[in-house]
Amino acid sequence: MIQSAGFVDSHSHLRSTSLAEHNVGGRSLEEAILRMNAMTPVDVEDDVFVACCNLISSGVTAVQYIFHTFGTPKEYMETLEKSLTGIRRSGIRAQVVMAITDQFEFVPPRVTHELNLPAFVNSGRRMSPVEFREIYEIAQKQNPDFSLGVGPVAPQWCSDEMLETISDIAHREIRIHTHCLESEPQRNWITQSPVERLDKFDLLGPRTSLAHGVWLNDSDLKDRKSTRLNSSHVSESR
C-alpha cells in the first residue's frame, strides 16, 4: 500500500464553492451527506468550469474528478456531459472517474424502523448495473479525449451486482477510484467491511486509488501494497 498525505491520487468533486461557504456541514460525514443533498442546485457546467479555473489559478494543472449523481441514466449522462464541457473550457488536464451508488447511502440496512426523512434523500435505485455499463460505453465513445475511470462512490454503498459490473469494466486496465472509510461508522455500515468488498470484486491493485482511508487499520492494509491510499481529508475538495 502506497500512502500519501498530500495531493497525489486524491480527488475533487469540482465544486466552485466549498461546503463551508454554503453553510453545509455537520458533526459527522453522515450528517454532511444529508445536508449536501438539500443544497440548491447550480449550473453544472459553470460550476465545474469555475472550480477548474480556481485550481489552475492556485497552481494545479491536473485533477482527478470523481463524478456521480442520483439521477436516471439519461440524467447521469446529461450531467456528465456538462461536467466534461466545463473541464474542456478551463483547459485543465483531468482524469474523470465515473462513480455510482445504488444502496444504503443514507441509512444502513440494519435500520428497519420507519424514518421521517425529507424527500430529497429518497433517491432510490435509479440505475441498474446493465444501464451503468451502457452509459459508460456511450460516455467513453462520445468523449475520446478523456480516459474515463470507474468505481463505486463507496463500496458499502454498492450492491454486489453493481460491483461485479464495475469490476468487469475496470478489467480494461483503467483507473479505479473510490471513497474508502471516511468515517468510523462506515466500517460497519453493512455486514462486510468496505475493504473486503473491494477485494472480493478484484478492485484493489496498482490501478486503484482510495481517497481518505483515515479509518483503515493494519488488517485492511495487509497484502495490499500496490494500492494507492490517500489518508488526508485535506486532499479533497467537495
Side-chain angles (χ1 to χ4, degrees):
M1 185 79 74
I2 302 169
Q3 299 186 51
S4 167
F7 292 87
V8 177
D9 289 315
S10 60
H11 65 243
S12 172
H13 290 268
L14 291 184
R15 295 184 178 128
S16 59
T17 307
S18 70
L19 295 182
E21 291 175 286
H22 280 297
N23 291 320
V24 174
R27 295 164 294 181
S28 67
L29 169 71
E30 291 71 34
E31 182 179 344
I33 290 171
L34 292 173
R35 288 175 176 270
M36 280 189 285
N37 282 275
M39 291 171 58
T40 301
V42 298
D43 181 85
V44 174
E45 181 182 330
D46 289 343
D47 198 27
V48 167
F49 171 68
V50 173
C52 289
C53 290
N54 288 340
L55 288 172
I56 293 170
S57 66
S58 67
V60 177
T61 59
V63 62
Q64 180 162 260
Y65 171 42
I66 184 166
F67 171 85
H68 77 100
T69 175
F70 294 109
T72 63
K74 182 175 183 292
E75 293 165 337
Y76 190 107
M77 278 296 297
E78 289 175 349
T79 307
L80 175 64
E81 289 296 338
K82 290 178 181 179
S83 297
L84 298 181
T85 300
I87 292 171
R88 290 188 184 100
R89 285 172 57 194
S90 74
I92 200 169
R93 293 179 296 159
Q95 166 70 70
V96 179
V97 176
M98 290 177 59
I100 189 68
T101 177
D102 69 341
Q103 71 173 18
F104 310 135
E105 180 162 12
F106 300 115
V107 182
R110 63 180 177 275
V111 177
T112 57
H113 59 278
E114 185 175 348
L115 297 174
N116 186 26
L117 292 176
F120 58 77
V121 297
N122 292 329
S123 59
R125 295 181 177 87
R126 298 185 181 177
M127 194 181 315
S128 70
V130 171
E131 290 171 325
F132 182 65
R133 185 194 298 273
E134 289 175 349
I135 65 169
Y136 178 87
E137 302 283 0
I138 294 170
Q140 185 61 88
K141 183 176 181 179
Q142 292 181 349
N143 300 280
D145 51 330
F146 287 96
S147 176
L148 300 175
V150 70
V153 178
Q156 68 273 18
W157 296 338
C158 267
S159 65
D160 287 0
E161 295 77 14
M162 189 65 80
L163 286 175
E164 287 176 357
T165 294
I166 291 171
S167 182
D168 286 344
I169 296 171
H171 281 158
R172 305 174 192 183
E173 302 296 313
I174 63 174
R175 170 55 66 98
I176 303 165
H177 185 71
T178 186
H179 303 82
C180 189
L181 287 173
E182 295 179 81
S183 75
E184 190 171 22
Q186 295 297 320
R187 178 177 296 282
N188 301 306
W189 201 250
I190 60 176
T191 55
Q192 190 177 37
S193 82
V195 175
E196 287 174 349
R197 288 186 66 69
L198 291 172
D199 204 17
K200 175 182 177 181
F201 291 95
D202 197 23
L203 290 171
L204 292 176
R207 292 175 290 105
T208 302
S209 59
L210 310 178
H212 305 299
V214 292
W215 291 100
L216 287 167
N217 57 33
D218 291 343
S219 177
D220 297 325
L221 299 173
K222 185 179 180 182
D223 298 326
R224 298 182 177 95
K225 296 179 181 178
S226 61
T227 300
R228 295 178 177 87
L229 162 70
N230 189 291
S231 58
S232 173
H233 279 280
V234 178
S235 67
E236 176 175 342
S237 170
R238 282 190 180 271

